[in-house]
Amino acid sequence: MTNIFVVFLCLFMVVFGFGNGYVEKEEIGIFELKKGEVSLKVTNWGASIVSLVLPDKKGKLNDVVLGYDSIKEYTNDSTYFGATVGRVANRIGGAQFNLNGEHYKLVANEGNNTLHGGSRGFSDVIWKVKRYQREGPSPIVTFTYHSFDGEQGFPGDLVASVSYILTGKNQLVIIMKAKALNKPTPVNLANHAYWNIGGQNSGNILNEVIQIFGSKITIVDSKLIPTGKFAYVKGTAYDFLKPQTIGSRINQLAETKGYDINYVLDGEKVLYCQGFPDSVNHPDFPSTIVTKEKAYKHYMLFKFSTKSH
C-alpha cells in the first residue's frame, strides 16, 4: 500500500475513547520503528500493524502487510486489518459462558455469537503509548489498554499491553501481556495481520507455499463454533504437514469459501498464535482463564529471509 504518513506525525485525529466508565480524549497516531532497511508502522488504534516494509531477494523494498492509507479507514474497519483482537479472539458460542458459578452474557456481534471480543473489542479502542523508541539495536513501541469490568460483558478489570520490537536481521517480535486486577476472566489476544509475502501488487497468496506443523484441527459447526471434537488433517484440504501452495486444495472448501479453522499444533511446547476458539465453553480445551495470580503472556516471533533460485 502507499503510505503518505510522516512518522509521529503528519496526521493526528482527536476522537473520544471510553475507558473505566468515563470519556477521555486521546490522540491516534502512526508510529514507525526503523532498523536498517526494515520499517514497521503501527497505530495505537487497536494496537494495529499498518505496514511492514522489507527488502526482497533483489533488494527491492516492499510492504508485506495489508493495510489502509489513512487512520480514518482503520477507525471504520470491519476486517480487523493488522489489529490486536480481544479480550477474547475468535468466537464464543452463544455469546455466553459460565465461570466459577457465575453466568456471563456477552455482546453478540456475529449472529448469536461473540467474535473477537464483541462489537467494540480491543481492535476498536485507543491504546495508550507507554514506550516508544524509533531506532537503535531493538526499536520498540509498547501500547497499553485498561479494559473495565463488564466491558462487552466480560468480568473484571484487565490491563493489557502489546509490544512491537524489531530485532536481529529482518525479525519482528510481538509480545502481548495481560493482568487480571480483581476477577478471573478469559483472555485470548491475537494479532490479526493479513500477510502477503509477495508484497504490494503481487496478486493473491494462492501460489505462496506454507507449512503448518499441526496434525489436527478443531471441528466446527456451520457457524464456525467448535463442537469439542478434533479431526486429523492428513490427506484432507487442511493438510499442510508438508509444504504446499495455499491454493492447491482450496477448491475443496466450498462451504467455508477458504480456510477459517483452528490448527492444533504438534509438540508439547509450542507457540499458539491464539487460544482455541470457544475454549471457555469446552473444559477439555486448553484454558484461557487469567487470574490475579496467573497473568497472560503471548510471545510471537516472525523471521523473514530470502532465497535465490
Side-chain angles (χ1 to χ4, degrees):
M1 73 185 223
T2 302
N3 289 316
I4 57 173
F5 305 116
V6 174
V7 178
F8 211 157
L9 239 312
C10 289
L11 178 61
F12 274 101
M13 292 175 56
V14 177
V15 300
F16 288 98
F18 298 82
N20 306 315
Y22 63 91
V23 180
E24 60 181 9
K25 285 185 178 180
E26 290 282 355
E27 290 181 329
I28 305 176
I30 301 287
F31 304 86
E32 183 182 35
L33 303 182
K34 185 78 171 163
K35 184 177 174 66
E37 294 183 303
V38 179
S39 167
L40 174 73
K41 290 182 181 178
V42 294
T43 174
N44 58 326
W45 177 264
S48 306
I49 296 177
V50 174
S51 67
L52 178 61
V53 175
L54 299 162
D56 64 14
K57 63 183 179 182
K58 296 181 179 179
K60 180 183 177 182
L61 299 178
N62 217 329
D63 187 0
V64 297
V65 175
L66 296 184
Y68 295 112
D69 291 327
S70 72
I71 291 180
K72 183 177 180 181
E73 290 174 288
Y74 281 92
T75 62
N76 295 323
D77 173 62
S78 60
T79 57
Y80 307 96
F81 268 175
T84 297
V85 291
R87 180 178 301 195
V88 174
N90 216 297
R91 296 169 176 84
I92 296 178
Q96 58 188 327
F97 64 92
N98 295 313
L99 180 60
N100 295 341
E102 296 287 335
H103 181 75
Y104 295 98
K105 184 63 179 174
L106 309 176
V107 175
N109 63 321
E110 189 186 56
N112 296 323
N113 306 314
T114 296
L115 175 66
H116 296 328
S119 59
R120 190 174 179 274
F122 287 8
S123 58
D124 289 319
V125 297
I126 306 167
W127 294 58
K128 292 185 177 180
V129 182
K130 182 179 180 181
R131 181 182 178 188
Y132 177 46
Q133 181 179 328
R134 182 180 182 270
E135 297 180 307
S138 297
I140 181 174
V141 61
T142 299
F143 301 122
T144 63
Y145 178 66
H146 186 162
S147 177
F148 58 87
D149 183 14
E151 185 173 20
Q152 299 295 297
F154 290 99
D157 290 273
L158 184 80
V159 175
S161 70
V162 177
S163 295
Y164 293 101
I165 309 166
L166 294 181
T167 185
K169 183 179 180 181
N170 298 346
Q171 295 182 15
L172 167 63
V173 171
I174 304 176
I175 301 175
M176 298 179 173
K177 297 180 180 180
K179 182 178 181 180
L181 300 185
N182 40 43
K183 296 179 183 178
T185 184
V187 176
N188 179 19
L189 306 182
N191 179 269
H192 207 280
Y194 293 79
W195 301 92
N196 188 340
I197 304 302
Q200 183 184 3
N201 298 324
S202 64
N204 62 44
I205 64 171
L206 297 182
N207 289 322
E208 293 184 5
V209 176
I210 188 172
Q211 184 174 17
I212 301 175
F213 299 96
S215 58
K216 291 186 289 186
I217 57 171
T218 49
I219 299 175
V220 295
D221 62 18
S222 61
K223 302 298 182 181
L224 300 179
I225 303 298
T227 64
K229 297 181 179 181
F230 302 91
Y232 286 97
V233 302
K234 191 172 180 61
T236 74
Y238 297 102
D239 186 356
F240 289 98
L241 291 168
K242 295 181 179 180
Q244 302 280 348
T245 58
I246 294 174
S248 59
R249 303 186 185 102
I250 200 169
N251 291 336
Q252 299 177 30
L253 303 172
E255 186 175 346
T256 56
K257 298 179 181 179
Y259 292 96
D260 193 345
I261 200 69
N262 177 66
Y263 280 83
V264 181
L265 301 184
D266 299 328
E268 294 183 2
K269 294 183 179 181
V270 295
L271 169 58
Y272 289 99
C273 289
Q274 63 168 6
F276 286 12
D278 200 31
S279 62
V280 288
N281 291 313
H282 295 279
D284 294 336
F285 284 4
S287 175
T288 56
I289 303 302
V290 171
T291 66
K292 289 195 296 183
E293 296 76 24
K294 182 184 176 183
Y296 172 95
K297 185 174 182 180
H298 185 174
Y299 180 94
M300 288 168 277
L301 172 63
F302 298 85
K303 291 184 177 181
F304 301 89
S305 60
T306 59
K307 182 171 65 174
S308 300
H309 295 285

